[in-house]
Amino acid sequence: MTGSASAASGNPIGVVDSYYVVSGGVGVTGWALQGDAPTIPNDVHIYADGTLIGATNAGVNRPDIANAFPGYGPNHGFRAEVPYGGTGNHTICVYAINHKPGAANPQIGCKVVNFPAPPRDYTLKCAWPRCTMYLSRTASYNFAYGAYTPSAPGAIGVALYTLVRQPLGIFARSYYSRGLCIAFQVSAVPWDTQSMFSYRC
């Protein structure tokens, strides 16, 4: 058990033992309990930069908590992984929710967590004013089935956006089903050729 506190008051107490980054989100572990409801697990809310991003219940078996707080039982731990799409540094805070409506919901932990930017799912090769964008296998699937719009900076991005708004899905799905990936040839000059083609990936 990390940390300890008196459970004599009626407000919840607890500690966040760890914060960790997962794919597409953040995870927290810890414990929480309440003095005037010793055997009832508390809800736990998770915030990022002051915005609620998830909730869980502190009902996981933690024998160390039972040993530290006799009479409260072991079911006061929590482990949660919640979706979060931020990158860079963000403040993750955790609150134990009081069983009594309108009473205090104390913060039991807060930490600045770094979320690395996801790897690019395309390769961009440019010789101004033209660029060729090669989508990865995953990005090719997402584009073929309507869940992904590739992006690129500046005027090249405008040309690409204009191109991918065309009804290209049937061709993209055909490429993907044959084991090929999707690529785009775009130009910042509007009258140049803008095209989608396949390549072996």
Side-chain angles (χ1 to χ4, degrees), residues 119-124 132-136 139 148 150-153 199:
R120 282 187 175 180
D121 51 10
Y122 65 85
T123 300
L124 193 63
T132 303
M133 173 181 278
Y134 300 90
L135 299 189
S136 69
Y148 172 77
S151 61
Y199 77 100

Side-chain angles (χ1 to χ4, degrees), residues 2-193:
T2 302
S4 62
S6 170
S9 74
N11 291 328
I13 62 169
V15 171
V16 181
D17 294 327
S18 66
Y19 304 77
Y20 57 97
V21 176
V22 297
S23 177
V26 61
V28 292
T29 65
W31 60 270
L33 55 79
Q34 188 164 334
D36 59 0
T39 61
I40 303 175
N42 290 81
D43 287 335
V44 173
H45 288 184
I46 304 155
Y47 284 73
D49 299 331
T51 299
L52 179 67
I53 60 171
T56 189
N57 183 262
V60 175
N61 188 299
R62 287 282 300 264
D64 58 327
I65 302 302
N67 292 335
F69 299 95
Y72 285 73
N75 298 324
H76 295 289
F78 63 85
R79 180 185 183 92
E81 295 179 355
V82 297
Y84 183 60
T87 59
N89 291 332
H90 296 275
T91 302
I92 306 300
C93 296
V94 180
Y95 296 81
I97 305 305
N98 206 307
H99 293 306
K100 296 176 292 186
N105 301 314
Q107 182 188 105
I108 60 173
C110 216
K111 182 179 181 180
V112 175
V113 178
N114 181 264
F115 296 83
R120 282 187 175 180
D121 51 10
Y122 65 85
T123 300
L124 193 63
K125 297 182 178 180
C126 294
W128 186 260
R130 298 175 184 83
C131 285
T132 303
M133 173 181 278
Y134 300 90
L135 299 189
S136 69
R137 185 70 176 158
T138 298
S140 294
Y141 173 86
N142 290 337
F143 178 76
Y145 290 92
Y148 172 77
T149 300
S151 61
I156 292 296
V158 173
L160 180 64
Y161 177 75
T162 302
L163 173 65
V164 300
R165 289 186 65 191
Q166 299 177 20
L168 299 174
I170 188 169
F171 299 104
R173 289 189 287 275
S174 173
Y175 295 153
Y176 186 85
S177 67
R178 302 201 315 258
L180 302 173
C181 286
I182 296 163
F184 302 94
Q185 190 167 43
V186 293
S187 174
V189 179
W191 54 85
D192 276 356
T193 300

